[in-house]
Structures are given as structure tokens and as C-alpha cells.
Amino acid sequence: MTSGGDFDRIFEEYVADVEAALPAVVQWFERLKASRKYTAKGFSVDDIWPSQTGSHPVMIQIFRKHFLKLAILIERLDREEELEDEQEPSEEDWGTDDDDVGDDDDDDDDEYDERPSEPYQVLIERLREERPDLYAHFRQFMFIPVGLEDYLLVEREVGNG
């Protein structure tokens, strides 16, 4: 079973990528706000770009890259859990009932229950909790990389397709 360390590693890479891209993205957004379209024509930058700096293609690319990494990791963990549940009992299991769960098994159950089940939980919710300064750049971020090609990629990576 893969530990939460993989989630931590992907989150740290995500944060590093966002931090590296942010100076150029903030400059882009400042130039956008100062453009004639928003200063002279009365358009509200918030109405057209509700995600603000999160709307930049680089930020979307970073989010998408890490979203897919997490989707693959979560799918692998789900498949490993399913395979463990489907395994036939061995001789080592003789004399025990499913209800006779030891402390070690309780720890495993806690690990399963606490791990993220959706990439959004790591990329947005964890970012909001641990890095509110970066989360502010994803205000009203409404991008989920869902599409046939994305799921085919996940299936291929995990070995289902």
C-alpha cells in the first residue's frame, strides 16, 4: 500500500510549481487589469476573470498536471484495496473472524479513511488549509480536467486499459 507520503510529495511539487509560476502570472494579471479594456470601457476584471490569476494557462497547466498525478495515485490505491478485499483467506487467517480486527488492522482502516479520495482535496482544500497565500490565487477556480482523454490516460497508467 502506498503511504500518505506520495500525497505529500505531489502536494509539495504542486506548491513549488505554483510558487515558481506566480511572479510572471501576477505580472500578467496586473497588465490585464491596467489594460484599456478594463480601465476605459468599464468592464470589471472580476466578472470576466473570476479566478483571477488562476485563469492563466500556466496555472491551469500546473493544476491539471498534478490533478492527473493524484487521480492515478488514487486509482492505484483504490485498486490495491479492492484486490486486498478480494483475496482468499490464507492459513494464517484460520481461527480469526472478520470481527476480530486487531489494532494493526484499525490503523490500516484509519489510513484508508483519511487518505484523499479526490485530487481536489489535495490541490484546493489542502492548499486552502496549509497555504492560504497561494489559495488566494485560486479564488473561484472552476477547472476540473475531465474528459475522455484524461480518463484514458489514468486507465493506461494504472493498467486498466
Side-chain angles (χ1 to χ4, degrees):
M1 184 62 58
T2 306
S3 71
D6 289 330
F7 289 102
D8 293 340
R9 180 185 47 77
I10 293 170
F11 179 74
E12 290 165 8
E13 291 170 1
Y14 172 62
V15 166
D17 287 351
V18 169
E19 287 177 326
L22 213 46
V25 170
V26 169
Q27 285 179 352
W28 162 80
F29 194 69
E30 291 303 317
R31 284 192 310 270
L32 186 67
K33 287 192 310 188
S35 70
R36 188 166 183 261
K37 178 179 182 177
Y38 299 106
T39 58
K41 297 193 178 182
F43 287 105
S44 169
V45 73
D46 289 340
D47 290 339
I48 297 176
W49 299 94
S51 295
Q52 296 184 357
T53 50
S55 302
H56 193 281
V58 170
M59 298 292 268
I60 292 171
Q61 182 272 333
I62 291 168
F63 182 86
R64 182 180 188 280
K65 175 176 104 175
H66 296 287
F67 184 99
L68 292 175
K69 283 182 179 181
L70 287 163
I72 290 166
L73 174 60
I74 290 167
E75 179 67 19
R76 279 190 181 137
L77 292 174
D78 288 347
R79 286 187 45 79
E80 287 174 11
E81 289 174 22
E82 287 174 13
L83 291 173
E84 285 177 9
D85 291 342
E86 293 173 2
Q87 288 179 350
E88 291 292 321
S90 69
E91 279 187 38
E92 294 166 0
D93 295 329
W94 287 3
T96 62
D97 292 330
D98 288 340
D99 295 337
D100 295 338
V101 178
D103 292 335
D104 294 338
D105 291 334
D106 287 341
D107 292 341
D108 290 343
D109 289 341
D110 290 342
E111 179 183 326
Y112 297 150
D113 293 340
E114 292 179 11
R115 78 164 170 82
S117 60
E118 297 291 332
Y120 184 86
Q121 293 170 313
V122 176
L123 300 178
I124 298 296
E125 293 175 13
R126 183 171 173 184
L127 192 68
R128 178 180 55 224
E129 291 170 15
E130 295 183 22
R131 293 298 306 269
D133 57 318
L134 296 180
Y135 173 74
H137 295 279
F138 290 92
R139 184 180 73 131
Q140 296 185 13
F141 191 72
M142 299 187 192
F143 177 80
I144 302 292
V146 175
L148 183 58
E149 66 279 356
D150 296 333
Y151 283 108
L152 290 175
L153 171 67
V154 170
E155 288 291 314
R156 210 171 319 127
E157 285 289 326
V158 174
N160 293 347

